[in-house]
Amino acid sequence: MTTQVDRTAGTAGTAEAAGVAGAGRAARAPGTVRRRVLVGAAALLMLTGGATIAHGAADGTDGAPAPDGGGHAAHSTGTGASTGTGAGEAGPVGGASRSGGFYMRADGVFSPPGSFVPSDALTYDTALVPAAARIEITQYADRTSHRVGTRLRGLVPNRAYGMHVHTSPCAADPASAGPHYQHRASATADPVNEVWLDFRTDRNGNGEAEARHEWGFRDGGARSVIVHDAQGGAGKRVACFTVPFSS
């Protein structure tokens, strides 16, 4: 980033008693002092971890999904490679939404707990979620629907994974993320009452999924997503990503 500051020196005045050495004040020609300040921004290498977050009002452009008029709970998975903007490549999000929607996207690169460069994306099993694998979480909400989506890159090819939204942030202990987020606490553990994002990777190790509901998150109730080694309601916790979900 370059910041430019212009400063202009005015005329000091006319010479007095010209030609007489040491007498009066010497005239100074008008001049301009131009100073440039260069600010270097050092970016963390994506291969060692990190996350980027973008927020905005969604209008169906700039990568934000447009409302589709849905409102029924649904769970869908994708098997193809991720398309569009991927993890670690968050672009600008903005624009007025006709439906008054909210859009959030968070990107992270997995690294083991205790890595030199801290990351909001942690892998607890590098055989299933390698270090430097990438994750993207999106959230869209308006008056009629709530959607959470995920895209992942660099996992084990042609493998099924489970994923759910959890109640607490990630930490070195996989259990720190708490239980699944539930719309109705202590009710059924299923894709209707919880946010399930089970997916299967393609031959390149990429996968994606989306969950849709007519309800949104309680304030502060959803804080992360957990990747499991098996699909369904349970499974070993193999990775975690802390996500700033909005209520």
Side-chain angles (χ1 to χ4, degrees):
M1 179 176 63
T2 301
T3 303
Q4 179 173 301
V5 181
D6 290 345
R7 295 179 179 176
T8 303
T11 303
T14 57
E16 297 180 2
V20 181
R25 294 176 298 173
R28 291 184 295 175
T32 300
V33 178
R34 192 177 296 271
R35 184 172 63 183
R36 298 178 181 272
V37 180
L38 300 180
V39 180
L44 297 178
L45 293 177
M46 293 306 296
L47 292 181
T48 58
T52 57
I53 300 169
H55 297 268
D59 64 351
T61 60
D62 297 324
D68 59 3
H72 299 287
H75 179 234
S76 61
T77 60
T79 56
S82 299
T83 58
T85 302
E89 303 171 354
V93 178
S97 171
R98 292 185 298 271
S99 60
F102 168 84
Y103 180 69
M104 180 278 301
R105 179 178 63 237
D107 307 82
V109 180
F110 288 105
S111 64
S115 296
F116 178 73
V117 178
S119 176
D120 286 333
L122 301 176
T123 174
Y124 307 120
D125 187 335
T126 55
L128 294 179
V129 180
R134 299 185 175 200
I135 184 172
E136 174 191 272
I137 296 293
T138 57
Q139 178 191 12
Y140 177 82
D142 61 17
R143 292 186 295 270
T144 61
S145 65
H146 182 248
R147 307 203 313 250
V148 176
T150 186
R151 293 177 179 175
L152 298 101
R153 295 180 178 179
L155 304 185
V156 177
N158 301 313
R159 193 187 193 284
Y161 291 83
M163 180 185 286
H164 312 97
V165 173
H166 282 245
T167 60
S168 299
C170 307
D173 181 0
S176 298
H180 295 179
Y181 177 89
Q182 293 190 325
H183 176 55
R184 296 184 301 277
S186 301
T188 56
D190 55 40
V192 176
N193 191 47
E194 300 177 346
V195 180
W196 290 23
L197 296 163
D198 294 355
F199 63 93
R200 184 176 183 85
T201 57
D202 63 11
R203 63 183 181 179
N204 297 314
N206 304 329
E208 59 187 63
E210 183 180 83
R212 304 186 183 190
H213 299 85
E214 61 183 8
W215 47 263
F217 294 130
R218 293 182 294 277
D219 188 22
R223 304 290 302 279
S224 64
V225 293
I226 285 281
V227 180
H228 297 269
D229 66 345
Q231 295 186 348
K236 177 185 175 183
R237 302 185 181 196
V238 296
C240 183
F241 182 35
T242 299
V243 183
F245 287 115
S246 177
S247 57

